[in-house]
């Protein structure tokens, strides 16, 4: 069902399936441009004629209550997330917990969005206010539908925006479940939060083109992000885009390869490799190349592939068989072109072949300009490269159009910080990978996106700065 202007509308009839076995989990309503327009109109009325934007205490209360309601049903939400998305249950539990933490974080900020006042000349006061931007359109992907929803919806609501949410069709049931306590909150004014689902993209396109929408927040591919930018150009709305990634992990000769390799394998296969910050390239010093080949191959081979709901599984299925087949074709081509195939991966035999499962793949290749090195293959695929010195390591890591994240592995603290500063990425981890925190901004350089989410600076994407000038003069002083 859609949720528009405080009411459930529409009829659920399209199936949502478990990618592990194609079992139908439930149905969702298929909307489009008409539902998107109704949601935009409701959000516009609520912003222009309601008190939500001027009610920070109410905004905080609603967010805190939402977080508390989710905490009470966290286990059930995590199970539904695993069933609909396929990720292993431990990752689903971590994601739900992270989403709750993030809602609480933005609830805290809702009552502290300050401006400032300057006196640039005697008796002249310049007041700068940070005001809500207006109506925000939030397009949520399927790979992390809890955190990627909340990290946009949290700051948007905290800032005082009204919103239209378009969840991914593949995880519509989960997004409906996580949003239910918010939508049904007795103090949430009608029209402040609106949700529509669709199997296509007509409604999402309308969010980008509509002049009644002031902000678009999108997480997804760079190609779609560019389309949104083009569609949004006429209205010149604010854009918050987290797009593709091609994360490089730089392993220097003093690192313990046998200890690092399992952590890199986990970083490459998080969410079955379907995370923008997942490790895609491992750059290792030439003196440790042979050791890394063996250790990383063994670490990837040892990961247990199986249904996400099985607590022993370490890699679940991809989101659906169409995605699996696409990744399989890309990996097969990469294996034909790579200098050395260390682990071919592929669709497993037996019962798992009926689901969207794909075994991890690993290749070694010298040319960092190869298409399969440069492109983001959205699955459990990893490229191993070698370097001779620090300068080459940095040059190789920066040889990409993306700039979302990277990691540096070394016990040399000065080198770690020096290399981290030289990498053109929005996030660089030292001796860690994929650590994302509600309090700390994330986002990309170059074609990995615009703006920042998480942290205090996420409010910037959902607010505008207004300068109010006045000249009251100075008491007792003649102008």
């Amino acid at each position: 069902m859609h949720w528009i202007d405080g009411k459930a509308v529409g009829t659920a009839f399209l199936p949502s399936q478990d990618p592990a076995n194609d079992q139908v989990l439930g149905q969702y309503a298929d909307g489009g441009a008409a539902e998107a327009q109704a949601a935009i109109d409701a959000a516009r009325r609520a912003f222009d004629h309601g008190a939500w934007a001027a009610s920070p205490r109410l905004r905080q209360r609603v967010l805190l209550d939402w977080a508390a309601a989710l905490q009470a049903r966290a286990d059930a939400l995590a199970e539904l997330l695993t069933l609909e998305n396929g990720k292993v249950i431990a990752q689903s539990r971590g994601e739900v917990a992270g989403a709750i933490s993030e809602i609480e974080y933005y609830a805290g900020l809702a009552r502290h969005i300050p401006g400032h006042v300057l006196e640039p000349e005697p008796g002249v006061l310049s007041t700068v206010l940070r005001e809500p931007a207006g109506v925000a359109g939030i397009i949520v992907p399927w790979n992390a539908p809890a955190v990627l929803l909340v990290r946009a919806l949290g700051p948007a609501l905290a800032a005082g925006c009204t919103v239209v949410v378009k969840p991914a069709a593949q995880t519509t049931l989960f997004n409906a479940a996580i949003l239910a306590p918010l939508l049904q909150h007795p103090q949430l004014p009608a029209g402040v939060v609106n949700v529509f689902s669709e199997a296509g993209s007509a409604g999402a396109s309308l969010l980008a083109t509509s002049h009644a929408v002031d902000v678009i927040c999108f997480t997804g591919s760079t190609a779609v992000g560019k389309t949104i930018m083009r569609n949004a150009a006429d209205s010149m709305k604010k854009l918050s885009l987290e797009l593709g990634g091609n994360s490089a992990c730089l392993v220097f000769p003093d690192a313990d390869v046998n200890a690092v390799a399992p952590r890199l394998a986990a970083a490459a296969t998080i969410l079955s490799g379907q995370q923008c910050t997942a490790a895609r390239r491992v750059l290792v010093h030439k003196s440790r190349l042979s050791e890394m080949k063996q250790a990383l191959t063994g670490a990837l081979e040892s990961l247990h592939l199986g249904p996400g709901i099985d607590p022993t599984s370490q890699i679940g299925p991809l989101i659906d068989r169409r995605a699996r087949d696409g990744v399989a074709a890309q990996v097969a081509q990469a294996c034909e072109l790579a200098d050395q195939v260390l682990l071919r991966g592929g669709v497993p035999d037996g019962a798992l072949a009926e689901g969207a499962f794909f075994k991890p793949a690993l290749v070694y290749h010298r040319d960092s300009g190869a298409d399969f090195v440069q492109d983001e293959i959205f699955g459990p695929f990893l490229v191993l490269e070698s370097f001779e010195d620090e300068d080459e390591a940095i040059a190789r890591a920066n040889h990409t159009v993306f700039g979302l994240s990277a990691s540096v592995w070394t016990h040399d603290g000065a080198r770690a910080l020096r290399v981290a500063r030289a990498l053109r990425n929005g996030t660089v981890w030292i001796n860690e990978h994929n650590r994302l925190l509600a309090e700390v901004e994330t986002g990309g350089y170059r074609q990995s996106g615009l703006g920042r989410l998480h942290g205090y600076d996420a409010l910037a994407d959902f607010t505008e700065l207004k300068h109010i000038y006045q000249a009251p003069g100075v008491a007792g002083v003649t102008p």
Side-chain angles (χ1 to χ4, degrees):
M1 302 287 281
H2 316 293
W3 186 270
I4 299 173
D5 206 14
K7 299 176 183 178
V9 297
T11 302
F13 64 93
L14 288 181
S16 180
Q17 296 171 286
D18 183 341
N21 53 28
D22 281 348
Q23 176 184 349
V24 175
L25 302 171
Q27 288 78 36
Y28 67 93
D30 185 20
E35 288 77 13
Q37 187 62 62
I40 292 168
D41 291 344
R44 188 78 259 167
R45 286 193 300 270
F47 185 81
D48 291 342
H49 304 294
W52 178 256
S55 306
R57 293 180 181 178
L58 173 60
R59 300 199 300 267
Q60 182 184 65
R61 174 45 49 202
V62 169
L63 288 168
L64 287 174
D65 289 349
W66 182 28
L70 295 181
Q71 187 64 63
R73 60 189 79 177
D75 289 342
L77 285 168
E79 183 173 331
L80 177 58
L81 176 53
T82 286
L83 291 174
E84 194 173 32
N85 170 278
K87 68 182 66 179
V88 297
I89 189 66
Q91 292 175 3
S92 291
R93 289 173 180 147
E95 182 178 341
V96 170
I100 293 169
S101 174
E102 191 128 4
I103 295 168
E104 293 171 337
Y105 174 74
Y106 285 110
L109 292 182
R111 289 173 64 173
H112 186 71
I113 305 178
H116 58 275
V117 179
L118 303 174
E119 189 173 13
E121 300 171 4
V124 171
L125 297 180
S126 288
T127 302
V128 179
L129 303 177
R130 185 174 290 279
E131 298 184 337
V135 174
I138 299 173
I139 303 172
V140 186
W142 46 258
N143 57 335
V147 166
L148 300 186
L149 165 71
V150 165
R151 71 173 187 177
L153 184 55
L157 293 179
C161 291
T162 58
V163 299
V164 178
V165 178
K166 205 289 288 190
Q170 296 92 331
T171 48
T172 300
L173 300 183
F174 173 79
N175 275 132
I178 198 171
L179 283 166
L182 172 65
L183 301 179
Q184 296 163 9
H185 194 289
Q187 292 178 276
L188 182 72
V192 168
V193 181
N194 306 274
V195 185
F196 75 93
S197 54
E198 62 178 348
S201 59
S205 295
L206 183 61
L207 290 178
T209 57
S210 173
H211 284 236
V213 176
D214 303 289
V215 182
I216 286 288
C217 183
F218 167 78
T219 303
S221 72
T222 296
V224 175
K226 290 178 178 180
T227 298
I228 289 173
M229 289 185 73
R230 287 190 288 268
N231 289 343
D234 189 61
S235 63
M236 298 190 70
K237 57 174 55 70
K238 293 170 70 73
L239 295 176
S240 174
L241 306 175
E242 187 186 290
L243 307 176
N246 193 11
S247 296
C249 310
L250 286 64
V251 183
F252 286 91
D254 65 319
D256 182 343
V257 167
N258 288 320
V260 169
R263 298 173 71 183
L264 295 178
T269 58
I270 186 171
L271 313 190
S272 303
Q274 302 168 118
Q275 180 161 305
C276 295
T277 61
R280 306 285 178 199
R281 304 165 62 195
V282 174
L283 281 56
V284 63
H285 189 266
K286 66 175 185 177
S287 65
R288 312 300 297 277
L289 176 60
S290 178
E291 188 179 355
M292 181 61 83
K293 285 181 179 181
Q294 182 177 355
L296 193 52
T297 299
L300 288 167
E301 280 185 312
S302 70
L303 294 173
H304 177 51
L305 188 68
I309 204 67
D310 181 347
T312 67
S313 296
Q314 294 169 289
I315 308 177
L318 274 67
I319 189 62
D320 54 36
R321 282 191 285 181
R322 179 182 177 184
R324 180 203 65 187
D325 293 345
V327 168
Q330 289 177 295
V331 171
Q333 184 178 32
C335 288
E336 290 300 314
L337 299 173
D339 293 339
Q340 183 181 7
V341 178
L342 299 166
L343 199 59
R344 191 166 291 274
V347 177
D349 298 326
L352 296 185
E354 299 302 314
F357 294 93
F358 191 83
K359 295 184 291 185
L362 173 67
V363 301
Y364 169 75
H365 198 66
R366 179 65 186 168
D367 178 14
S368 63
D371 288 347
F372 63 86
V373 181
Q374 289 292 312
D375 295 341
E376 182 184 34
I377 297 178
F378 215 53
F381 173 71
L382 197 54
V383 178
L384 180 62
E385 305 170 54
S386 62
F387 61 85
E388 296 196 8
D389 55 31
E390 185 178 301
D391 287 344
E392 185 186 359
I394 294 168
R396 280 182 169 272
N398 285 338
H399 183 200
T400 173
V401 298
F402 300 110
L404 188 59
S405 60
S407 57
V408 180
W409 300 79
T410 178
H411 295 299
D412 184 334
R415 166 177 279 165
L417 187 56
R418 184 170 63 245
V419 171
R421 292 292 304 277
L423 295 176
R424 299 283 293 161
N425 291 274
T427 296
V428 180
W429 296 281
I430 295 174
N431 296 322
E432 187 57 88
H433 201 94
N434 281 328
R435 284 286 290 148
L436 300 171
L437 307 168
E439 298 87 350
V440 182
E441 290 78 6
T442 60
Y445 287 22
R446 297 176 287 182
Q447 293 189 37
S448 283
L450 301 172
R452 292 295 182 267
L453 291 168
H454 304 296
Y456 186 82
D457 276 359
L459 294 171
D461 289 343
F462 300 99
T463 55
E464 296 279 12
L465 291 178
K466 176 181 287 182
H467 170 212
I468 300 176
Y469 172 93
Q470 59 183 326
V474 179
V477 175
T478 302

